[in-house]
């Protein structure tokens, strides 16, 4: 993206996409597992146990069940990213938008991390867009 207004316009236009972004924080009072499960509880009216089972399965595919019962303040940047990705993917989506991965993963060489994470769940989305400023290309 050339600038912030262009980035904001793209995000506003793509209401059909699931967003993984610093602008969408995790609910601090919920664990990683609960942050993903709550989507199913509200959107599919699933009871907690069934929603948590699906969220656990997704965290397993992402290799991050170890952080399932921790809350946001206790997470590393990678765990926080995976929690947001799981929340975005808990319902299959046509498009996943990962906004400014350098901001989400400041201490991680993120291209291989993103490749591995997305490869583990590639059947849950059709496209993944990485949205960042052109100077981070």
């Amino acid at each position: 993206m050339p600038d912030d207004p262009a980035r904001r316009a793209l995000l506003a236009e793509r209401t059909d996409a699931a967003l993984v972004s610093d602008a969408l924080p995790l609910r601090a009072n919920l664990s990683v597992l609960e942050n993903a499960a709550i989507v199913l509880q509200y959107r599919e009216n699933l009871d907690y146990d069934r929603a948590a089972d699906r969220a656990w399965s997704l965290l397993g595919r992402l290799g991050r069940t170890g952080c399932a019962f921790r809350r946001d303040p206790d997470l590393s940047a990678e765990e926080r990213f995976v929690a947001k990705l799981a929340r975005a993917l808990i319902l299959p989506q046509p498009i996943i938008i990962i906004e400014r991965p350098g901001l989400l993963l400041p201490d991680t060489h993120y291209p291989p991390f993103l490749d591995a994470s997305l490869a583990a769940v590639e059947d849950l989305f059709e496209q993944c867009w990485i949205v960042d400023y052109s100077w981070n290309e």
Side-chain angles (χ1 to χ4, degrees):
M1 305 268 64
D3 55 26
D4 195 54
R7 179 186 63 81
R8 288 177 187 267
L10 173 75
L11 296 177
E13 169 185 310
R14 296 314 309 220
T15 58
D16 60 335
L19 182 62
V20 178
S21 172
D22 190 57
L24 295 174
L26 298 171
R27 292 175 174 253
N29 63 323
L30 300 179
S31 69
V32 169
L33 186 70
E34 293 165 330
N35 264 284
I38 198 168
V39 174
L40 294 170
Q41 290 176 276
Y42 281 103
R43 297 237 176 124
E44 293 190 349
N45 199 29
L46 286 184
D47 63 75
Y48 175 75
D49 290 336
R50 289 180 49 204
D53 285 347
R54 283 182 45 190
W56 182 267
S57 175
L58 184 53
L59 289 172
R61 289 179 63 180
L62 291 163
R64 294 297 176 145
T65 55
C67 68
F69 299 106
R70 295 206 313 258
R71 294 184 177 165
D72 188 25
D74 300 322
L75 300 174
S76 69
E78 288 181 2
E79 291 167 336
R80 188 171 295 110
F81 174 85
V82 166
K84 290 179 179 190
L85 181 61
R87 181 180 61 188
L89 290 172
I90 196 76
L91 292 173
Q93 300 292 327
I95 301 170
I96 299 297
I97 296 177
I98 299 174
E99 182 193 20
R100 298 184 288 173
L103 180 64
L104 293 166
L105 298 161
D107 299 323
T108 302
H109 180 57
Y110 63 82
F113 177 78
L114 290 179
D115 285 345
S117 297
L118 294 170
V121 291
E122 66 186 351
D123 60 310
L124 300 178
F125 59 92
E126 295 172 21
Q127 298 176 36
C128 180
W129 299 0
I130 307 294
V131 175
D132 209 335
Y133 297 117
S134 55
W135 58 82
N136 283 334
E137 189 175 358

